[in-house]
Amino acid sequence: MTASTRVAIDPFGADIIAESARLRALGPVVPVELPGGIPAWAPTGYDTLKALILDPQVSKDPRKHWSLWPEVGEHPAWGWILGWVGVVNMLSTYGPDHTRLRKLVAPSFTARRTEAMRTRVEKITAELLEQLDTAGASGEVVDVRAAFAHPLPMQLICELFGVPDELRPDTGTLIAAIMDTSDPSPEHAAFVQQQIGAVLGALIAHKRERPGDDMTTELIKVRDEDGDRLSDEELLYTLLLVIGAGFETTVNLIGNAVVALLQHPDQLAAVRSGERSWDAVIDEVLRIHPSIATLPLRFAVDDITIEGVTIPAGDAIVTTYAAAGSDPAHYGESAAVFDTARAADDHLAFGIGVHRCIGAPLARMEALTALPALFERYPDLRPAQKAEELKQVPSFIAYGWQEIPVRLHG
């Protein structure tokens, strides 16, 4: 295929695995069109994606390395991408800037600090299960995403960053709006930008007036004491990244695991009996249903030739975790099948190299706490809707379900 023959990516992400297979059939690196008409290249296999992620000639800084960056303002339907690349944080920086910003945030996600939060995760989990008891006591259908998978990581990340109760609903709305790629309209993009300033601006103002033992206060101190290390813009957008990534991806991890296990009761039984481990469940969910399916954008610093395809310097590249996880060349002919017996701990769902997700240990710990507790509390948990009736969140970026209706007692 040539760059002039681009494949339009489904902005709703309705069937991500099938779309990945269709792209893979076209070649190892395929020219695609993102919502609004943004041109990019999509690697379709595990080895190709891994090589590009680790290639120092692949940047995440649009200001330095995206040839179309000066034209973004001329395309109203491209405005949605600004929530991903029009920000200045670890997700959109390269080289020394990325290293500097990562060092400021990394102390909040060390193994020691993550382990220290385990007791809090267990307490929140127990409280949510008590609330589920009440909600589903008479056999009513319960949305386990809204009642369990979402509030656990949301509450934890808000406590970690000192987000006050009154800002938490707007914070959730903001992150959902950024993840929604089904509406590339200028109005949606303007709403997102306005909410970033309003919600996170309010958080910064709140913590300046009421500093506490939280990460937002620590970042504000860095900004106020040494502006050379963290600018106002970087403070705002770093909070956007770590708060959003700190809960939305874990929501999908927990939710995707619940759905996968309910759809495969034999594998759930194997986990309950101890034949399979919960760690294996988490790895397999992250492989075949990664919380982030496709992440925009990276950029070719120079011409890059890979698998016989040349990506010109300045072109955009999407990071295709779902395609990598479902690649038969790496995981065998059954790659599209959920199988907890598979050794899938080499998945790329948390990234690899210098951009590996610093919150990965926390997300894993939350899931390893929540899932066993849920299925132990409700051994007869059953889906209340057929698998084909579940609706994917409207996004080609996020991989998760809008609702997960269940009956707690069969």
Side-chain angles (χ1 to χ4, degrees), residues 303-356:
D303 287 357
I304 298 172
T305 299
I306 185 166
E307 300 285 338
V309 178
T310 297
I311 303 173
D315 275 16
I317 304 166
V318 286
T319 313
T320 47
Y321 299 115
S326 58
D327 181 9
H330 188 81
Y331 289 108
E333 293 183 2
S334 66
V337 177
F338 177 79
D339 182 4
T340 53
R342 191 191 312 273
D345 59 356
D346 65 343
H347 64 79
L348 301 176
F350 286 130
I352 192 172
V354 297
H355 285 280
R356 179 173 170 79

Side-chain angles (χ1 to χ4, degrees), residues 59-64 82 84-94 97-98 101 237 241 296-297 299 355:
S59 166
K60 298 190 82 172
D61 191 333
R63 295 160 186 80
K64 295 177 180 177
L82 294 176
W84 295 94
V85 304
V87 296
V88 184
N89 55 33
M90 290 181 293
L91 196 64
S92 61
T93 48
Y94 176 71
D97 287 332
H98 172 264
L101 292 172
Y237 292 133
L241 173 62
L297 288 167
F299 313 96
H355 285 280

